[in-house]
Amino acid sequence: MLVVMKQDATDDDVKGVLARLKDANLEGHLSPGEERVVIGAVGVINDPDIRPAVGRMSGVEEVIAISRPYKLTGREFQPEDTVIDVGGVKIGDGTLTVMAGPCSIESEEHMVATACAVRDAGAQIIRGGAFKPRTSPYSFRGLGEEGLQHLATAREATGLPVITEVMSERDVEVVARYADVLQIGTRNMQNFTLLDEVGLTRKPVMLKRGLTATIDEWLLAAEYVMAKGNRDVILCERGIRTFETATRNTLDLSAIPVVKRLSHLPIISDPSHGTGHWYLVEPMARASMAVGADGLMVEVHPSPDHALSDGPQSLTFENFAELMESLAKVGEAVGHPLAPQPATALAMAGG
Ligand code: PEP
Ligand code: MN
């Protein structure tokens, strides 16, 4: 349920409501809106009188039952868009943030060269996988912590923040030490203990949509992270499993405006995993922008034919630079310009 406070409610009124909720074993999450405070009460309601009782308390305007299964991720709880600051890059503020880099980090030289190329083309965040979820256990599974070190070197070389996947609860501490954003991959979208664990960190989390997850299931997965106190969740549409085989997955573009309507969280699109083919990345990136995505995640490799993972869907440096030029034009047309790079990167550009 949601407790909407009056405009002139005092801090003591808010504290009183939080204490009453706690007595009823409900956790109160504050959403300090522009006009008034809303308190989201999360937990199982056992006391049938709690709603009217809270409704009579000092400073309370009204108590609303939430019909949707997710609470903190919903627009009812927070009508305004969430804007997440990642090392000076704002995600969800109406600009388009581009995260780019290799699928897997292969060596320091490979990571730094790719990071500098995507920075020079205008990307705002560097990606690179160190812990790789692979379909076969015999495929390259990433460099682990050594890869994270190369990613940190790429951050120093470019002045851009970095994102990388964490696959297991066991690795949250080490990945959070190196990364600016923690990525939860499609295969782990419903790994609830991992979601709890990243919810306890204070690093932004990018939650990819599960291969077969409905939008409700995806928002409930985001709810796990938020319920642990981490409000900085970015959603990422990366394609879902359908009967179609011409593409690796079916990039569900309609999920973007659907999520925007249901949730205040930023949503980005990953046309690389969403299509599986490098030549489909640009058209689907442009389309994602046109339907309102807050950002993109794109795989880039110096030599896609030699990539240790996801070569067929990776752009060359040249293709990526062309993509960025094309996105700038779409941004102008749809009133959704590319986000500026952080001051740290602008100072180092060309280095
Ligand atoms: C990735 O981003 O490299 C990745 C493995 O993505 P997904 O979890 O969407 O397959
Ligand atoms: Mn990949």
Side-chain angles (χ1 to χ4, degrees):
M1 70 188 195
L2 286 182
V3 184
V4 182
M5 302 302 289
K6 290 186 174 146
Q7 259 174 331
D8 60 359
T10 63
D11 285 352
D12 280 345
D13 292 337
V14 172
K15 279 189 200 143
V17 171
L18 290 174
R20 181 68 184 81
L21 294 176
K22 200 168 172 208
D23 281 349
N25 283 326
L26 296 172
E27 212 176 301
H29 292 257
L30 285 189
S31 168
E34 271 166 29
E35 301 212 331
R36 51 190 156 193
V37 171
V38 175
I39 303 171
V42 176
V44 179
I45 296 181
N46 291 318
D47 173 359
D49 292 330
I50 184 76
R51 272 190 206 124
V54 172
R56 286 191 296 272
M57 290 182 76
S58 166
V60 174
E61 174 84 41
E62 64 175 326
V63 180
I64 307 170
I66 306 185
S67 47
R68 297 190 194 281
Y70 43 87
K71 319 271 175 220
L72 306 174
T73 48
R75 285 250 181 226
E76 285 156 313
F77 174 59
Q78 184 187 309
E80 305 88 25
D81 287 343
T82 287
V83 178
I84 300 175
D85 189 313
V86 177
V89 178
K90 299 244 181 334
I91 305 179
D93 69 347
T95 59
L96 186 95
T97 304
V98 180
M99 309 179 179
C103 177
S104 298
I105 299 162
E106 298 176 8
S107 68
E108 181 179 302
E109 193 194 8
H110 162 258
M111 186 63 236
V112 172
T114 311
C116 288
V118 301
R119 185 267 318 268
D120 291 347
Q124 294 84 15
I125 297 181
I126 302 296
R127 69 149 282 148
F131 294 93
K132 295 302 305 175
R134 302 306 301 277
T135 302
S136 161
Y138 308 120
S139 300
F140 177 62
R141 293 168 68 178
L143 295 178
E145 186 169 356
E146 185 196 331
L148 297 175
Q149 286 162 357
H150 302 330
L151 194 61
T153 306
R155 172 174 45 209
E156 277 164 40
T158 58
L160 293 180
V162 299
I163 177 169
T164 194
E165 177 164 353
V166 56
M167 280 175 55
S168 141
E169 285 159 76
R170 190 186 57 204
D171 301 323
V172 170
E173 195 271 324
V174 66
V175 176
R177 225 180 314 129
Y178 291 93
D180 299 295
V181 183
L182 305 174
Q183 173 172 327
I184 302 292
T186 192
R187 296 159 187 83
N188 269 321
M189 190 205 82
Q190 285 190 316
N191 180 340
F192 299 120
T193 49
L194 178 60
L195 297 176
D196 279 343
E197 202 63 29
V198 296
L200 291 171
T201 73
R202 286 299 163 264
K203 289 280 164 117
V205 172
M206 189 180 83
L207 180 63
K208 289 190 137 193
R209 182 177 182 181
L211 275 170
T212 60
T214 64
I215 291 172
D216 269 7
E217 288 164 343
W218 188 16
L219 292 176
L220 279 168
E223 189 83 15
Y224 268 83
V225 180
M226 293 191 76
K228 285 288 177 198
N230 191 343
R231 296 279 180 97
D232 291 341
V233 181
I234 304 156
L235 300 165
C236 175
E237 163 62 41
R238 48 78 71 209
I240 49 176
R241 258 302 150 83
T242 69
F243 53 82
E244 184 54 72
T245 54
T247 46
R248 180 177 177 185
N249 293 291
T250 297
L251 188 68
D252 182 7
L253 284 179
S254 61
I256 295 167
V258 170
V259 164
K260 283 263 158 223
R261 191 181 161 92
L262 297 174
S263 174
H264 51 84
L265 295 174
I267 175 164
I268 76 158
S269 169
D270 172 352
S272 304
H273 294 88
T275 64
H277 300 288
W278 70 269
Y279 52 85
L280 295 177
V281 170
E282 179 175 332
M284 295 311 275
R286 290 162 60 98
S288 299
M289 248 185 124
V291 296
D294 294 295
L296 293 168
M297 170 165 266
V298 177
E299 288 186 338
V300 178
H301 194 281
S303 174
D305 289 348
H306 299 102
L308 296 184
S309 58
D310 287 350
Q313 68 194 34
S314 298
L315 298 186
T316 61
F317 295 171
E318 294 73 26
N319 290 153
F320 181 71
E322 281 167 23
L323 170 71
M324 292 300 284
E325 279 177 28
S326 144
L327 293 181
K329 289 187 199 139
V330 181
E332 267 173 45
V334 300
H336 208 54
L338 288 177
Q341 287 178 318
T344 40
L346 292 173
M348 298 167 76

